[in-house]
Amino acid sequence: MSYTIQDRQEIHSSAEQILSLQQELKEYNTKYNSEIIEAGAEVEQMCAGRAYGSRDTSTLFAPNQTKPLAPQNIIVNIILSWAALITKDRPSVYAVPSSSDPAAISSAALATKYIEYFETEEETAERWDTSAIYAAQHGTGLIRIEYDQSKEKVEWTNVSVMNVMLEKRADPEKVEWCVIVDYVDQYTAEALIQQSDPSYTGLPDTVTYMDGAGYECDGVAKYSIYYKPSARYPTGLQAVVVDETVVDATEYQYIFQDKDGNGEKAILPLVWWTAR
């Protein structure tokens, strides 16, 4: 379905266009990121002791055996050890005074204390450690950093690569969109839908999914779409879709002054790093 320039500028006010975009991004993810998803799923199965997949796994198994040669606990302990080693000595950020003036030194010391408090409050060290574990299990580890308006605070959450749709580009700086898929229970999904449609009744259907630890669970898919301002969508888009219902949509919010102070830069609410 095609839309005019004016339609695309006002995408956040068109539920039909958002649902069309969601379907397009899902098809894109299946087409271009299927190899990443497949590899991530197989590594995840290997870590869980269930190494079955379409790739050549002949070196992992003894003849006529279905269990990996390496016991599951050894693989998991290697991952945990690697994650601890790569994150335990992560240098803490600290503030540097802009001059030797006592007031600047005092301000820098105060800022350092605030950063240390923030790191403790948000458990950032634990977040990086979990992200490292995800990177080992799936090939990519991600941390979602988003402002929660209801709590009026920035929230940090770990995300599995299995729950992310991402535009495929060589340069991460040029990636224009991502979709994060969360799974909520039926009652939470019902409440979210009723916020935008008070007449909605009944409970949405659940789907079976694999969580980051490799367990099968049931839940209702919640898609968070982030599309930076671009030639296609001049104002960008942030939208939430629950069970094929658009429950929230705004223009893109995460736009900041660039490092030179001469312009603006839009960023996605994800930090991701890869294990190769």
Side-chain angles (χ1 to χ4, degrees):
M1 186 179 295
S2 60
Y3 295 92
T4 66
I5 294 176
Q6 184 176 3
D7 289 335
R8 299 198 306 272
Q9 288 175 334
E10 300 173 355
I11 184 174
H12 59 281
S13 60
S14 170
E16 181 182 15
Q17 188 177 177
I18 291 172
L19 292 176
S20 176
L21 173 64
Q22 179 203 19
Q23 186 59 37
E24 176 190 326
L25 299 185
K26 287 168 67 176
E27 292 173 358
Y28 175 99
N29 190 63
T30 301
K31 180 178 181 181
Y32 292 103
N33 294 325
S34 58
E35 184 177 349
I36 296 174
I37 295 171
E38 180 185 351
E42 291 179 4
V43 173
E44 183 177 83
Q45 292 284 67
M46 181 67 183
C47 292
R50 302 187 300 273
Y52 311 109
S54 59
R55 292 169 183 265
D56 179 15
T57 56
S58 59
T59 58
L60 302 176
F61 300 90
N64 302 317
Q65 296 294 317
T66 57
K67 294 183 179 179
L69 292 173
Q72 174 190 353
N73 64 328
I74 293 180
I75 299 172
V76 173
N77 284 333
I78 289 174
I79 289 174
L80 295 175
S81 298
W82 175 78
L85 288 171
I86 202 170
T87 59
K88 72 172 184 177
D89 293 326
R90 182 180 61 84
S92 177
V93 178
Y94 61 92
V96 178
S98 57
S99 68
S100 58
D101 184 75
I105 295 174
S106 176
S107 295
L110 182 63
T112 299
K113 292 296 183 183
Y114 173 79
I115 293 170
E116 291 174 350
Y117 169 80
F118 176 81
E119 287 188 331
T120 302
E121 185 76 10
E122 296 299 327
E123 300 179 336
T124 57
E126 289 80 0
R127 301 292 185 198
W128 285 116
D129 187 66
T130 303
S131 184
I133 293 171
Y134 278 2
Q137 289 182 328
H138 311 308
T140 303
L142 303 104
I143 296 178
R144 177 185 191 173
I145 306 174
E146 187 175 41
Y147 180 71
D148 188 322
Q149 292 184 342
S150 62
K151 298 179 181 178
E152 295 186 346
K153 64 177 294 188
V154 175
E155 292 280 352
W156 289 48
T157 52
N158 290 102
V159 182
S160 163
V161 69
M162 310 301 290
N163 295 338
V164 173
M165 303 178 191
L166 198 64
E167 184 182 22
K168 192 173 183 179
R169 295 218 181 182
D171 184 357
E173 292 288 330
K174 295 182 179 179
V175 174
E176 291 188 341
W177 60 265
C178 73
V179 181
I180 301 176
V181 187
D182 300 306
Y183 292 91
V184 297
D185 63 77
Q186 288 178 299
Y187 302 100
T188 301
E190 178 190 31
L192 289 170
I193 295 173
Q194 286 180 343
Q195 289 178 7
S196 59
D197 182 9
S199 64
Y200 179 85
T201 58
L203 295 174
D205 295 331
T206 61
V207 296
T208 301
Y209 67 96
M210 192 82 72
D211 69 3
Y215 295 101
E216 286 190 352
C217 306
D218 292 330
V220 180
K222 173 188 171 187
Y223 293 85
S224 299
I225 303 172
Y226 303 91
Y227 208 118
K228 296 192 294 188
S230 60
R232 182 179 186 182
Y233 298 122
T235 59
L237 172 71
Q238 281 182 223
V240 177
V241 178
V242 178
D243 193 35
E244 302 302 318
T245 300
V246 178
V247 300
D248 187 37
T250 64
E251 296 179 354
Y252 200 77
Q253 304 295 308
Y254 301 126
I255 301 175
F256 305 92
Q257 192 174 52
D258 63 19
K259 63 181 180 180
D260 297 323
N262 299 322
E264 294 182 332
K265 180 179 181 180
I267 62 173
L268 295 174
L270 279 178
V271 176
W272 68 90
W273 51 306
T274 60
R276 292 290 181 262

